[in-house]
Amino acid sequence: MTGTEVNRGSSPEINGMATVTYIAPQGQEPEPHDAPSYGSIERPQDAEAPLRHLIATIWRRKWIIIATVIVAVTLATLFVFQITPRYTASAQVLVETRQMNVLNIQAVVPGLGADYQTNETEAAVLRSRELAKKVVDLLNLTANPAFNPELRPPSPGLMTRLFGEFSLTDIFMGVMPEFVTAPIEEARERRRLAENRLTPERRAELTREWVVDYFLASLSVTASERSRAIRLDFTAEDPELAAEVVNALADTYVLQTAENKRSATNRASDWLERRAEEVRSRMVEAESRLAAFRRDIGLIDIGQQVTLMTQQLVELNRELIDARSKLNEAEARYQQVQQLIASDAGLETAAAVLQSPLIQRLREQESEVARQLAELKTQLREGHPRYELKLSELRDVREKISTEIDKIGINLRNEVEIARVRVQNLERAVNQLDQTLRGQSEAQVKLKQMESDARSERELYERLRDRFRETGVQEDGELTLPDARVISYAVPPDYPSYPNKKVMIAFAFVVSAALGVMLVFVAEHLDAGFRSVKQLEAQTGIPTIAVLPRVGGGHGGPQELVLSRPGSVFAEAVRSLRTALLLSDVDHPPRTVLFTSSVPGEGKTTTALAVARASARAGQRVILVDTDLRHPSLHYAVGVPNNAGLVSVLSGEARLEDVIEIDPRSGMHFLTAGPPAPNPPDLLGSARMQQVLMRLKDAYDLVVVDTPPVLAVADVLVLLRQIDKSVFVVRWGRTHREAAYSALKQLLESGADLVGTVLSQVDLKRHAQYHYGTSSGYYQGYYKEYYGGG
């Protein structure tokens, strides 16, 4: 026998166990335990991490940040010291707005404005390709090796120093297959043929364009927003060359502004000469047309004649308005008469009738005759001569009144006709006079327009002639001043402007530190294992009842520490786990305890063995049963062969008391799995298995059951309802959260009475970094004492 020695055979505690004849009825299972109080497991939401949690996360993975910073800063330092230093020379140009104004040439060729847009425009001119070409030609930069790389001798770079004469492209071409390198070789050959077909003139032109591109890439032009100054910066490897180039650019720009002004003056002079000749021809033609028109109208004073006609027209309009008013009055009176004739009242009630003096006298006479006739009627009978005479007199008066009324109506109609004829006559006179006046006005307007055209052409000709004389003087060039001047020439700089080694290395440090922090949080996010009790409880919703530290192999395995070093941290943790099991139900402590996990290798067998040995050393009668019939491991842990065991008992090949063995160091009894079984779930769920558990439960104070992983097989699920309490083992940092979550869900849904979880194989030093409270210091001191040999 190798490993730990054990005693085989019967023990006093199990004598007579064969007489236990409790057998469940066929097809009936033992009464299940009460459902666990955890309910269905749910994944809780992670709370927002506080600041100290973030700091702790960075601290425990600080080596990622340190490594990232070291690598990045080292590469940046190597890169910075490989860079060729470059120098920047600066000059300043002032855009002029106030210049000597001997002649009014500004009206012909205006100067530059004094605003930011003007400065930006001039800055664009300084950055222009045409100006750059002039400077390149002036300094013959195409023959300068600093600008033309074709003239530089080859200098070995970092890659050449590392790989010798072979470049990365050559190395790539050497290791890649032919179907990849063939197109690259063809492209190289086409490029060589194209370069060979270039003429010397074309090659020189391309070289010049490339030098101009390099020139513009090294140039920086900055326009000031508060002044008329423009700053020119040029960067080159040679400080003397940088100052020479930027000064040449400034001088070329100033000379170009003066040249542009002279060119503009010459163009303006030519244009003024042509324009003046055209205007002179138009002026002569306009004056000729004006003279001919005056002859046609007889040179009369159109203005005085128009004034008299206008006064006459005003008088006629006033008479027309008066005539129209009288016509309206006559028509109104006549219309009233017509209305009275058509009515029952007659003309007697008309205003003209009532206001007529003759009618009034006849009415008075009629009234007097009517009164006399009334008196005679009271004195004489009808037919009396005097009565008839008065009656005849009354009829005569009334006939006169009627005749007079008819005359008044006829008179009103005649007045309307007369008034209408007068209005028509006045309207004809007004229209005739208006047409005559309009013709005179058009002639006057045309005359004034022709005089104005002739005068405008003469004035324009005189102005153009004066401008032409001024530009003629300006063409001499003595009065043409540039629109800019150099106020500060560049001097060769003493220190390079690039690279700024300190800034670049500091920037690399900051960026690499940020990248390291990002990698830390990426690694933390990708870490799918459980790193702390708080994290395990938050993710599963189930309390953690013990934390078992990781132990090296120098002590014979963690299960040996319970016996060899009972004061160790591991032994103390096992005792805490045993105490938690006993306190899980104070009134009825569990008699059977099951240990399982989600996947293999999480330490469930070691944990079960350690708890069993600790309980045996505490004076309890304990037996450890290995129910992992597929991959048993208990016999390896205790160092015994696995010839006979639980499978032998369940298959009827051996008696229970014959296969139980004793660990002599702790007094623990154990039952190995035995030979392989073809149908483990059927054996573990059989009535014989129930009998075995009942007999063990009656014979021992504690039965510890080591089971297979939950996610690997379903063997453990058939044992859950026959066990008092269950413990779920999770390996620190290795067990995937999804695996633990799925296994716990299956256990609870299958009716397991789960006491809690055990976090096993914990790296105590790293685990202390995941505690954010005051307990971290306590654990850290405890761990140091243990690793120091305590």
Side-chain angles (χ1 to χ4, degrees), residues 375-594:
E375 290 179 355
L376 291 176
K377 187 175 181 179
T378 60
Q379 297 174 5
L380 302 175
R381 293 190 301 239
E382 293 183 4
H384 192 276
R386 289 177 58 191
Y387 180 80
E388 292 295 333
L389 181 61
K390 284 295 180 183
L391 184 60
S392 175
E393 184 180 357
L394 179 60
R395 284 196 294 268
D396 292 340
V397 171
R398 289 177 175 174
E399 287 179 0
K400 290 180 180 180
I401 291 174
S402 177
T403 302
E404 193 63 29
I405 288 173
D406 293 338
K407 290 180 180 180
I408 290 174
I410 294 171
N411 187 33
L412 289 175
R413 183 179 60 191
N414 293 335
E415 289 180 358
V416 169
E417 293 297 332
I418 293 171
R420 183 177 290 113
V421 171
R422 177 174 174 77
V423 168
Q424 292 175 354
N425 292 335
L426 288 174
E427 286 177 349
R428 283 194 299 270
V430 169
N431 290 334
Q432 292 176 357
L433 185 60
D434 183 64
Q435 291 177 358
T436 303
L437 183 60
R438 188 176 302 169
Q440 294 295 330
S441 298
E442 291 176 355
Q444 183 181 14
V445 170
K446 185 174 181 180
L447 179 62
K448 289 182 177 181
Q449 182 177 0
M450 295 180 68
E451 291 175 350
S452 177
D453 292 343
R455 185 168 55 254
S456 298
E457 295 292 343
R458 178 169 290 280
E459 291 176 356
L460 179 58
Y461 172 71
E462 292 176 354
R463 286 197 300 270
L464 291 174
R465 185 179 59 187
D466 295 340
R467 289 287 188 272
F468 176 69
R469 291 172 181 173
E470 292 177 1
T471 54
V473 176
Q474 191 74 12
E475 287 180 359
D476 296 338
E478 298 179 358
L479 298 179
T480 303
L481 299 178
D483 289 328
R485 61 187 176 92
V486 181
I487 59 175
S488 176
Y489 280 99
V491 295
D494 297 329
Y495 301 98
S497 59
Y498 178 83
N500 192 333
K501 299 179 181 179
K502 294 181 180 179
V503 173
M504 295 181 69
I505 294 175
F507 179 76
F509 176 81
V510 173
V511 172
S512 61
L515 177 61
V517 172
M518 183 179 67
L519 293 177
V520 164
F521 285 103
V522 170
E524 189 75 12
H525 180 72
L526 296 177
D527 188 359
F530 296 99
R531 295 288 181 175
S532 67
V533 172
K534 180 179 178 181
Q535 188 181 54
L536 178 59
E537 292 180 346
Q539 290 290 328
T540 62
I542 297 176
T544 301
I545 59 177
V547 175
L548 302 182
R550 180 186 301 169
V551 178
H555 304 286
Q559 67 274 8
E560 298 295 330
L561 291 178
V562 179
L563 304 177
S564 61
R565 301 179 64 182
S568 64
V569 174
F570 183 83
E572 183 64 28
V574 172
R575 286 193 291 270
S576 299
L577 172 57
R578 176 176 171 272
T579 302
L581 291 173
L582 294 176
L583 296 178
S584 62
D585 192 344
V586 179
D587 296 332
H588 302 88
R591 301 289 299 278
T592 54
V593 178
L594 180 146

